[in-house]
Amino acid sequence: MTIHQFAPSRRAFLAGAGLVIGVALAPRVFAATSSLNGVPADAQGQQYPFQAFVRIAPDDTVTVLAKHIEMGQGPYTGLATIVAEELDADWSQMRAAAAPADDDVYKNLAFGIQGTGGSTSIANSYEQLRKAGATARAMLVAAAAEEWGVPAAEITVSAGRISHAASGKTSGFGALAAKAATMTPPAEPVLKDPRDFVLIGKDRPKLDTVAKSTGKAIFTLDIHADDMLIATVAHPDRFGATVASVDDTAAKAVPGVVDVKVVPQGVAVYADNTFAALKGRAALKIDWDLSKAEQRSSEKIAEDYRSLFAKDGFKAADKGDVEAAFKGDGVTRIEADMLFPFLAHAPMEPLDAVLVRREDGSIDSYNGAQFPGQDKQAISEVLGVDQSQIRINMQLAGGSFGRRAQFGSPYMREAAEVFKASGMARPVKHMWTREDDIRGGFYRPLYVHRIRGAIDKAGEIVAWDHVIAGQSIMKKLELDESSVEGASDMPYAIPNLRVFGYNTEVGVPALWWRSVGHTHTGFAVETFLDELLQKAGKDAVEGRIALLKDQNRHLGVLKKVAEMADWGGPVPEGRQRGVAVHKSFNTYVAEIAEVSVDELGAPKVHKVWCAVDCGVALNPNVIKAQLEGGVGYGLGAILFDQVELGEGGKIIQSNFHDYRSLRINEMPHVEVAIIPSTEAPTGVGEPGVPPIGPAVANAWRQLTGAPVRRLPLVNIAVS
Amino acid sequence: MVTFTLNGEERRFDGDPETPLLWVIRDFEKLTGTKYGCGVAQCGACTVHLDGMTRRSCVTPISMVEGSEVVTIEGIQGAEAEAVQKAWVAIDVPQCGYCQSGQIMSAVALLQTTPKPTDADIDGAMAGNICRCATYQRIRQAIHDAADTMEG
């Protein structure tokens, strides 16, 4: 994904009480108001605004309004850290809360609209929130100077205390907040020299850890409104099928079921409690119209993709003369076809939303989504209510991995259709079950790769010819970079390189999945390169180093991980190691996996070493956690996961029994090292994922002699 | 009518006796620390203690709970619970946090029966709890740390 830089909104830098809407919305109908909006209970009360991102209360608490959703990657803590650093606050006074939905003021500077994704939360906010913190600090200092009648230049701020040494006057932030909020913000706030950072670069637990360790953290599914209905929707088991007819007699007879309605996405059952809604849904008898459904199996879809390679695709890279290189005298050629399956994201909290219509006709939505502005627009279009009358109350999300980031917000459209069909007299919580989630589409698309490589007589890799077919996530009619990223821009000095992409039409909704195109391109490039190096008689690490030439950040992580694992040193009997290095989202990661064959003939991953270069390390604790988690998430997928369409396009998998998640007994020990850097910080939510698959597959090839051409690996192990 | 105790207080439920304990806790008792994740006892997000043992509340009909003691994340007490929650915070285990109530309920029950668990004990007791963020390494470490602090 290309990172563009959009200009911050001018409104973001205007001191304006008009923007203080984040904490004023907690509606009285909800029992647990303290948890709404993610606002910590002790940050409630009077909040003085310091432009768009900072609120200071009389009790000294500083609340950072996070324009990014918290779904586990730690942006609430990271954004609060950046502000606290420039504000010279004490960490104990910092809080974070969800900013309201506003595609202008709270836009992601990499996207141009408000949104969380692409591992951009810290990268796009770093300068913006440093300035927000420095501005608030300058306003506090100006207020103190006026209050105390001393020159601003003589005032110091440290750990949440404002002091004037000569007069002995000191104050906390809260006592001066009301006055400070009225001060003119500096045109260009002065930022710290990074050498003077006291908070950035230090390990720090996340702000929400205590709430998440005591059951007190509130997610969308936990929202209760008085008189609320629970709704579940019966969906078809083939993509594109629609309701032909429904017999709801048995469903309506279930005690607690209030109503049944047909909506564009299926049949909605409304009930007074969740179990009644589920029982009612199970009692529906629905005939589905399959005339517009995708009825091909996954196997047939893959076959159709391969047939595309006879035609011309879209050029992604074309360097040197690939055809001539393959015809070179005495070259050795290898070919590989690879297949990557559909993958569901399967966040722990399935999709859900609570919609409430107020007496004045305005709408409150309680949900956790990566593109809140898109949600607002979807609700507006479905309900016919002006966007100014819709409030998006952002909740913590129980994981996402890309699932909650959708242009057009199809999920919110379903929730809004369900709400509309209910008559909107009562609040409605719309929830998906795990089955809805696994079978709900918006998968990492299925991709087919075909790669040819050539090695000359001297053992040098001289040509690489690579074609990739799959759905365009961005729905493009030309090359979709997200299908080829990580392959077309591979860092290796291979003189003749050709990469072509092919867009396919399939009736299965596609979506980005943690690390997007790198989920498959990283695997294809790093496993195929490993085979070529072996064929050329080269060591997997030394061979890569030779091809990386002046790619210093790739080299930095690769050399570091080799040192950590003592690459080339002794390996326990029965185990082998594989390596991979990959850049995604401007973060560089190298991983080495140590693998054996278990008693069932499947891979057992014992240990993973990981080196990461993500620029300035804002909070090493969070960075390490994301790399550990990225390894575990990616490993589960490459070992176990696929959503398959069977005969007639019927979706086969349905829940965690057949869409396996990695479990604790399958989690390797992960050791992470962070390369020290003064470069601008880049993201860590996704980049840990791409290298784990190829590192394990490369070890597997050493163990068994068999290259991995098809995922998940468990299929190979049992066959 | 089903009578049981929830976090030490007597409770009655006179709805559909097939209603899973999970939805009684969440929808009727309004205790939301116990989560829905799969509905088929595959993920452990709904783990509670039923008469002192871990139980997947999503597949436990309320009719089976008659006369039992149910403890949820909101009601856990004692040395093991305190040590586990402290250890969880100390090494910052949660990411999205959604599964962590269930993880903690399983970890507390493990320490109650096995004060000094090995890695294999942890695998055995915790393999039923899925964490899609894969916080497993820290879960394992936190359980060991909690066991160490309890030993004194």
Side-chain angles (χ1 to χ4, degrees):
Chain A
M1 183 180 291
T2 316
I3 306 282
H4 300 285
Q5 193 70 16
F6 291 86
S9 167
R10 260 193 74 251
R11 286 169 58 214
F13 293 102
L14 298 174
L19 295 171
V20 196
I21 52 176
V23 291
L25 289 176
R28 288 192 191 88
V29 293
F30 292 89
T33 48
S34 66
S35 52
L36 290 171
N37 295 323
V39 179
D42 55 357
Q44 300 257 357
Q46 181 69 51
Q47 302 278 315
Y48 293 101
F50 292 75
Q51 301 183 324
F53 295 100
V54 182
R55 301 286 175 268
I56 301 177
D59 66 358
D60 283 341
T61 54
V62 178
T63 301
V64 174
L65 295 193
K67 65 180 183 176
H68 295 292
I69 186 175
E70 180 57 82
M71 47 194 177
Q73 279 60 50
Y76 277 18
T77 305
L79 300 175
T81 303
I82 297 168
V83 168
E85 181 68 66
E86 293 288 349
L87 185 57
D88 281 313
D90 190 74
W91 183 244
S92 64
Q93 72 192 117
M94 297 306 295
R95 306 286 184 272
D102 190 320
D103 275 335
D104 181 26
V105 172
Y106 295 113
K107 71 175 150 232
N108 183 327
L109 302 182
F111 297 169
I113 60 168
Q114 188 175 6
T116 305
S119 297
T120 58
S121 295
I122 298 303
N124 95 91
S125 303
Y126 186 60
E127 289 300 320
Q128 187 179 36
L129 288 195
R130 285 181 73 191
K131 283 182 182 167
T135 299
R137 183 189 188 278
M139 291 161 79
L140 285 166
V141 166
E146 205 174 284
E147 188 85 8
W148 298 339
V150 303
E154 291 176 11
I155 291 173
T156 58
V157 186
S158 175
R161 295 298 296 177
I162 306 167
S163 308
H164 182 248
S167 65
K169 289 187 187 296
T170 74
S171 173
F173 293 172
L176 287 165
K179 188 182 184 70
T182 66
M183 293 285 143
T184 306
E188 268 305 316
V190 181
L191 301 183
K192 278 184 180 174
D193 184 322
R195 281 177 302 192
D196 299 328
F197 284 164
V198 292
L199 296 170
I200 288 175
K202 304 270 188 345
D203 280 334
R204 180 164 299 104
K206 293 186 289 298
L207 286 169
D208 49 14
T209 291
V210 172
K212 288 175 173 177
S213 302
T214 51
K216 289 181 181 144
I218 298 292
F219 300 85
T220 301
L221 200 67
D222 303 331
I223 299 284
H224 282 283
D226 292 341
D227 203 30
M228 181 174 78
L229 288 168
I230 309 286
T232 60
V233 172
H235 297 106
D237 64 2
R238 287 172 181 83
F239 292 105
T242 52
V243 177
S245 68
V246 58
D247 175 357
D248 60 10
T249 319
K252 280 182 165 165
V254 172
V257 169
V258 171
D259 208 350
V260 174
K261 295 279 185 192
V262 175
V263 291
Q265 295 82 2
V267 182
V269 177
Y270 306 84
D272 289 322
N273 67 79
T274 311
F275 182 60
L278 295 171
K279 207 172 169 179
R281 184 173 80 162
L284 289 170
K285 292 185 186 72
I286 305 170
D287 280 330
W288 298 100
D289 175 354
L290 303 182
S291 58
K292 288 179 187 146
E294 175 61 68
Q295 297 193 47
R296 285 178 291 173
S297 67
S298 295
E299 286 302 326
K300 178 72 172 84
I301 289 169
E303 200 183 301
D304 290 349
Y305 284 13
R306 286 187 203 99
S307 71
L308 290 173
F309 294 150
K311 303 173 195 159
D312 286 338
F314 300 115
K315 183 168 81 177
D318 196 0
K319 185 175 74 172
D321 187 341
V322 169
E323 291 305 333
F326 273 100
K327 287 179 193 137
D329 193 25
V331 300
T332 309
R333 301 174 194 89
I334 335 182
E335 280 190 38
D337 270 14
M338 296 188 196
L339 176 64
F340 300 88
F342 290 116
L343 290 176
H345 307 71
M348 285 308 296
E349 182 190 20
L351 297 176
D352 44 17
V354 176
L355 290 168
V356 185
R357 188 170 174 274
R358 304 291 171 200
E359 275 175 20
D360 64 1
S362 66
I363 304 291
D364 271 302
S365 170
Y366 297 83
N367 66 303
Q370 291 174 246
F371 294 154
Q374 296 281 299
D375 287 0
K376 190 188 265 191
Q377 192 180 327
I379 295 168
S380 170
E381 285 172 14
V382 173
L383 300 187
V385 173
D386 191 81
Q387 287 198 43
S388 64
Q389 297 302 301
I390 297 167
R391 291 168 296 268
I392 303 291
N393 303 278
M394 186 63 69
Q395 305 300 309
L396 297 174
S400 179
F401 316 113
R403 183 63 183 86
R404 300 176 203 273
Q406 294 178 280
F407 289 119
S409 289
Y411 172 77
M412 187 48 85
R413 274 170 208 279
E414 178 174 319
E417 290 284 2
V418 167
F419 186 49
K420 186 181 176 185
S422 77
M424 303 194 281
R426 297 169 67 177
V428 173
K429 179 191 287 179
H430 176 230
M431 70 168 272
W432 273 18
T433 59
R434 178 60 54 201
E435 289 80 7
D436 294 318
D437 171 63
I438 300 291
R439 303 161 76 88
F442 297 97
Y443 302 133
R444 191 287 301 275
L446 183 153
Y447 289 98
V448 170
H449 289 231
R450 179 166 292 164
I451 320 176
R452 296 190 301 149
I455 303 163
D456 70 10
K457 282 186 285 193
E460 299 301 325
I461 301 170
V462 289
W464 184 298
D465 190 19
H466 195 155
V467 287
I468 301 168
Q471 287 165 275
S472 164
I473 294 172
M474 303 299 284
K475 297 191 169 66
K476 287 192 172 179
L477 299 173
E478 52 189 2
L479 178 74
D480 186 340
E481 288 85 357
S482 78
S483 297
V484 297
E485 60 184 1
S488 55
D489 56 349
M490 69 175 77
Y492 300 111
I494 295 170
N496 304 291
L497 172 72
R498 196 161 64 182
V499 179
F500 275 69
Y502 294 77
N503 295 345
T504 60
E505 291 296 331
V506 186
V508 179
L511 192 62
W512 30 51
W513 186 101
R514 198 174 186 176
S515 79
V516 197
H518 303 279
T519 58
H520 55 103
T521 59
F523 188 95
V525 169
E526 285 297 298
T527 56
F528 195 69
L529 179 83
D530 213 69
E531 280 184 72
L532 288 170
L533 289 173
Q534 189 180 17
K535 199 94 176 165
K538 293 188 165 136
D539 174 77
V541 169
E542 292 304 324
R544 280 176 173 80
I545 288 173
L547 288 171
L548 286 168
K549 298 201 187 298
D550 54 356
Q551 301 285 337
N552 289 332
R553 296 180 80 180
H554 283 91
L555 286 167
V557 291
L558 181 59
K559 287 177 180 173
K560 178 68 186 175
V561 83
E563 177 197 315
M564 290 164 74
D566 186 23
W567 181 264
V571 176
E573 207 190 318
R575 300 184 187 181
Q576 290 287 349
R577 288 173 174 183
V579 66
V581 58
H582 196 79
K583 177 184 95 164
S584 58
F585 310 96
N586 296 315
T587 291
Y588 302 75
V589 181
E591 291 170 13
I592 290 174
E594 189 170 288
V595 184
S596 68
V597 184
D598 76 8
E599 58 279 11
L600 298 172
K604 166 85 183 162
V605 183
H606 299 269
K607 170 101 198 191
V608 174
W609 293 268
C610 171
V612 56
D613 177 352
C614 55
V616 169
L618 198 65
N619 182 340
N621 164 53
V622 171
I623 293 167
K624 287 178 180 171
Q626 286 310 304
L627 273 293
E628 293 161 10
V631 165
Y633 189 81
L635 181 59
I638 67 114
L639 289 178
F640 308 123
D641 288 339
Q642 61 178 328
V643 177
E644 287 172 280
L645 306 190
E647 208 55 39
K650 220 167 166 179
I651 311 161
I652 293 177
Q653 285 76 15
S654 64
N655 205 316
F656 285 130
H657 66 286
D658 55 8
Y659 192 81
R660 285 266 280 106
S661 178
L662 195 79
R663 292 176 184 271
I664 194 169
N665 54 309
E666 294 151 346
M667 179 76 189
H669 187 266
V670 183
E671 189 181 325
V672 180
I674 302 168
I675 305 291
S677 172
T678 53
E679 300 279 343
T682 51
V684 291
E686 295 167 275
V689 174
I692 187 62
V696 170
N698 290 337
W700 185 252
R701 199 181 78 249
Q702 297 300 330
L703 279 165
T704 63
V708 179
R709 303 288 196 226
R710 184 185 179 118
L711 292 176
L713 253 164
V714 73
N715 286 350
I716 295 170
V718 294
S719 65
Chain B
M1 174 74 76
V2 179
T3 307
F4 61 104
T5 68
L6 180 61
N7 298 330
E9 286 180 31
E10 193 178 290
R11 286 284 181 266
R12 285 162 206 277
F13 181 78
D14 62 0
D16 186 340
E18 286 177 22
T19 307
L21 175 59
L22 171 67
W23 300 114
V24 174
I25 293 169
R26 289 182 54 86
D27 286 354
F28 294 89
E29 297 296 336
K30 306 282 194 283
L31 292 180
T32 56
T34 308
K35 303 300 189 199
Y36 164 82
C38 70
V40 292
Q42 283 287 319
C43 81
C46 67
T47 305
V48 298
H49 294 176
L50 186 77
D51 296 329
M53 309 277 280
T54 56
R55 184 88 201 176
R56 308 298 183 218
S57 63
C58 73
V59 292
T60 305
I62 192 67
S63 58
M64 278 182 59
V65 179
E66 173 64 40
S68 289
E69 286 181 21
V70 178
V71 176
T72 68
I73 185 78
E74 289 89 351
I76 44 164
Q77 289 171 358
E80 292 85 3
E82 207 173 294
V84 163
Q85 287 178 309
K86 225 170 162 175
W88 238 250
V89 172
I91 63 165
D92 207 32
V93 171
Q95 288 187 26
C96 89
Y98 192 83
C99 75
Q100 297 295 342
S101 296
Q103 303 281 357
I104 286 169
M105 296 308 282
S106 291
V108 169
L110 167 64
L111 290 185
Q112 283 169 348
T113 55
T114 313
K116 194 77 188 162
T118 61
D119 278 342
D121 294 332
I122 293 173
D123 284 348
M126 304 299 295
N129 288 85
I130 290 174
C131 173
R132 291 292 290 157
C133 302
T135 62
Y136 299 124
Q137 177 160 318
R138 293 186 187 212
I139 289 172
R140 183 184 302 284
Q141 185 61 48
I143 293 172
H144 284 308
D145 291 351
D148 289 348
T149 60
M150 287 183 61
E151 205 174 32

